[in-house]
Every structure is written in C-alpha cells, then in structure tokens.
Amino acid sequence: MPSVAAATLGKEPLPVRKAALRTFRDANGAAVDQVVATYYQAPASYTGEDMLEFGFHGGVAVVERALGALIDLPGLGLAEPGAFTRRAVLAGKLDLLEAEAVADLVEAETEAQRAQALSQLGGGVSQIYDMWRAALVEALSAIEVSVDFPDEGDVGSAPERAAAAPIERLSRDLGTALASARAGLQVRSGTQIAIIGPPNAGKSSFLNALAGRDVAIVTDRPGTTRDVLETRLNLNGHLVRVCDTAGLRETGDEVEAEGVRRAQALAAECDVLVGIYDVGDGPGRGPDFFGLEPDLVLANKIDLLPGTANVSCETFAVSAQTGEGLDAVLAELSKRIEHTAPSQGAAVITRQRHLEAVSAAKSALERAGSGLSRGAPPELVAEDVRQAIRALGSAVGRVDVEDVLGSIFSSFCIGK
Ligand code: GDP
C-alpha cells in the first residue's frame, strides 16, 4: 500500500489513520486532483489489510483520470460488489451475520430496517448464536464422556442425563426464535399487503392514494390490472410492499384469468389482506372476495353515497378519490404491522439462510433429545448434537463460510 501512496501522492509518508491533504498524480507526474488521503495500517482497517482511502472531488473527468491512473498500477483492479466486506470476513474482522448486516444497513429504507441491521452489525445477534453453540459444545462433551468410557459403571448415564437438560432448553430457545422469525424477515424485506376486490372497486385508486402518487393505472374499464403491481412504501418507519391485483371475477380472457389466479395466490401468502368493494355495488349484496377472507375490508366510493349506512362496524368506509376515511385505514395497518414486528433489534432470524440454519439445528436437537430419552447409543446422540452445532456455526460463519460467500456478496453494492 505504501507503494500505491508513493506512486500517486509522492514520497512523503502518510500519517496512519489521519486525514492528509495531498495532490494525486498520474504515472507521468501530472496532477489529477487535490485529495484527502487516509492510510489505515494493517490490521487496524475494515478489511484487516493495509488500506488507503482517497477523497476525490468527484465528477466524471476526475474519476475517469484517477481510476485510470490507479488501475495502471501493478496489482490494482476494480472492486467487485461486496469485495471489501468479503475480505473483512475472510480476515475474521466480521462474521457472516455482521457482513449481511452491512448490506442490510446500506439498503435500509426505513427506521425499523436500519435499527434491525445495526443491532445485527454490532455483533449482538452473533453472540446469541455463539451462546447457543457454547451450550451445545458443553452438552456434547458430556455425551462424549459416555462414548469414551462406556464400561465404567454409570459414568455413561450420568453425563448423558446432564446433557438432556441443556439440549431441551436450547431446543425450546430455538423454537422461540423460529416462532418470531416471520417478524425479523418481515422487517427486512417488508410487510406484504395485498389489495383484492372486484374489478372497478377502486383497488388501483386506493394504492395510488396510499402511495400519494400515480403508481397504478386508474380507468373505469374493468379488467385493466392484469398482473400484480407492487409499490414500496414507508409506513410509520416500516417498509410495506403493497400489491395491487387483478380484479376478482369470472372471465373468459386468458390473460385476465391468469391475473385473477395470481391475485388469489398472492392473497394466500401475503401478511395483510385488504379487500375493497364499491359501496354502491348492488346494496345488500355485500362484498364478494371469491371466498378469500380479508383482514381489512374497505367500502369504497362513499363520496357517491353520502351518509352510507349499510357499512358494518368492521368495515372501513373510505373514498380512494377524496381521501375520506384513509387515515383510519393507515392507522389500522400501522397497528397490525407494529404488532407483528419484533421489539426493535431483537430479531435473530432476518434472512431465509438463518431460518434454515436454526430449523436444521432444532431438528437435530429434537433427534438428540429423543435419542437420549430412548437410551440410544451415545455415538448417535453425539452426532445429532454435532450437526446442531454445525448448523448454528454456519449461520454465523464459523463453519462452511466459503459455501455461502458467493450468494451473500452477489447482492452487495460496489464499494462495500
Ligand atoms: P380497480 O379496477 O379496482 O383498480 O378500480 P380503479 O381504481 O381503476 O377505479 C375504477 C373507477 O372507479 C375509476 O373510474 C376511478 O376513478 C373510480 N373510483 C375509484 N375510487 C373512487 C372513489 O372513492 N370515489 C369515486 N367517485 N370514484 C372512484
């Protein structure tokens, strides 16, 4: 690194971890820009290696000349997405959970996402996984005593009994973490709200009213929304992904029928289902949601029927056009999202990868627990506990790091 500094900033040595104002020069000695350069000496840097940071003025011409000058130096090239964090992981500066938290923090759009990512970045979540692992390592050594000294009276059975309690406790803790997994995943990737209802009920208008802009096409021609249209919104600090769907109706049109099928599939898997109907649509007939049961029902277009009386108390009377009644709907949606979200920063499972690791650990522990109670050979019980330890270790990146590096860093942005 000192050689890169010498080639671009001159012979005068850079101070360590202090900003220095220098002239950046190309290979011919021509000045390219005035820069603030900061030299981080290994191992006290983000990646654990020597690092040199330049603060250029930016601008197309400066960046082009400066990059050209740097790339011409031996051993230098452009960084791939997540290249710095990958190096930090390989140098043991960050574990996998912390590396993922870097990506989540960079991509955080809402306060809830930021808080969750930051608590994961601080190592708090890794500590929980490590604590789980440590308890299991202890249980494993107790069981291994039984494997090593099988013939020594009841030496085998006592340590095994000692292992049963921590295994059971941990299995319960993992179960609790899995039960709240949906909340952590939901904060990270957003709460999915699907809007369903008959054609022309005002689904697209409602989506536009929520978004505060025109994201969906509004027409009085039924059947215009044929695919699922997703909009991301920040609702009181929580990311929500609101999906407008094709109007639910029997149709001979193949494309529209596929839209209806997709709407039904989405309705089955979303976090909050909002059903909307036109309050003037055949009074007394009530809403028809094709057998689906929305969490929230909106009776829309109340501006056309002032003093609407036939709306039941669970239904929100709204006008997507005038905005009447929408505040109450937003308040109800926020309440539901906050109810499912974890208390800030408490989530230990925020990605599918963590969910799979914890599920695998729990299954292995259940096998170990039932093996112990059946009096199964300690070798087999020990193997199940080892699998659980491995699964938890893979979440943090204590084992099998190389296997997951590719998929984790492919989603990173360049420069991190
Ligand atoms: P979608 O097919 O369910 O998505 O319905 P749209 O949002 O496209 O609306 C269908 C028609 O109803 C359009 O002409 C809208 O302008 C109209 N519309 C939607 N909401 C309201 C409302 O609250 N009041 C009135 N008067 N018209 C509305």
Side-chain angles (χ1 to χ4, degrees), residues 198-205 218-220 300-301 303-304 319-321:
N200 262 353
K203 297 178 296 301
S204 303
S205 304
V218 172
T219 75
D220 52 9
N300 191 32
K301 308 194 190 181
D303 54 301
L304 296 179
S319 167
Q321 202 160 74

Side-chain angles (χ1 to χ4, degrees), residues 30 38 41 52 81 91 110 127 139 149 185 188 203 213 218 245 287 297 304 335 354 359 399 412:
T38 318
Q41 196 169 40
L52 179 55
T110 65
Q127 269 172 20
F149 305 101
L185 294 167
R188 182 174 171 268
K203 297 178 296 301
R213 63 198 152 94
V218 172
T245 61
V297 174
L304 296 179
K335 208 170 81 191
H354 314 159
S359 303
V399 291
F412 259 70

Side-chain angles (χ1 to χ4, degrees), residues 256-324:
E256 194 187 344
E258 174 60 19
V260 172
R261 204 192 55 71
R262 286 183 192 188
Q264 287 172 308
L266 183 74
E269 66 176 34
C270 70
D271 301 304
V272 183
L273 187 60
V274 175
I276 183 162
Y277 71 102
D278 183 337
V279 78
D281 238 2
R285 238 182 45 206
D288 176 9
F289 297 120
F290 268 45
L292 297 165
E293 289 183 15
D295 300 300
L296 251 67
V297 174
L298 312 188
N300 191 32
K301 308 194 190 181
I302 50 162
D303 54 301
L304 296 179
L305 284 180
T308 301
N310 64 339
V311 171
S312 75
C313 55
E314 307 89 65
T315 304
F316 290 81
V318 300
S319 167
Q321 202 160 74
T322 67
E324 196 182 338

Side-chain angles (χ1 to χ4, degrees), residues 129 136 171 174-175 178 349 352-368 383-395 400:
Y129 282 86
L136 284 184
S171 185
L174 297 186
L178 286 170
I349 295 174
Q352 190 62 28
R353 193 180 73 78
H354 314 159
L355 184 69
E356 281 163 19
V358 175
S359 303
K362 182 161 165 37
S363 310
L365 282 192
E366 276 165 2
R367 284 197 304 276
E383 184 47 33
D384 286 330
V385 176
R386 248 179 249 119
Q387 276 184 20
I389 293 173
R390 196 172 180 81
L392 293 176
S394 73
D400 302 330

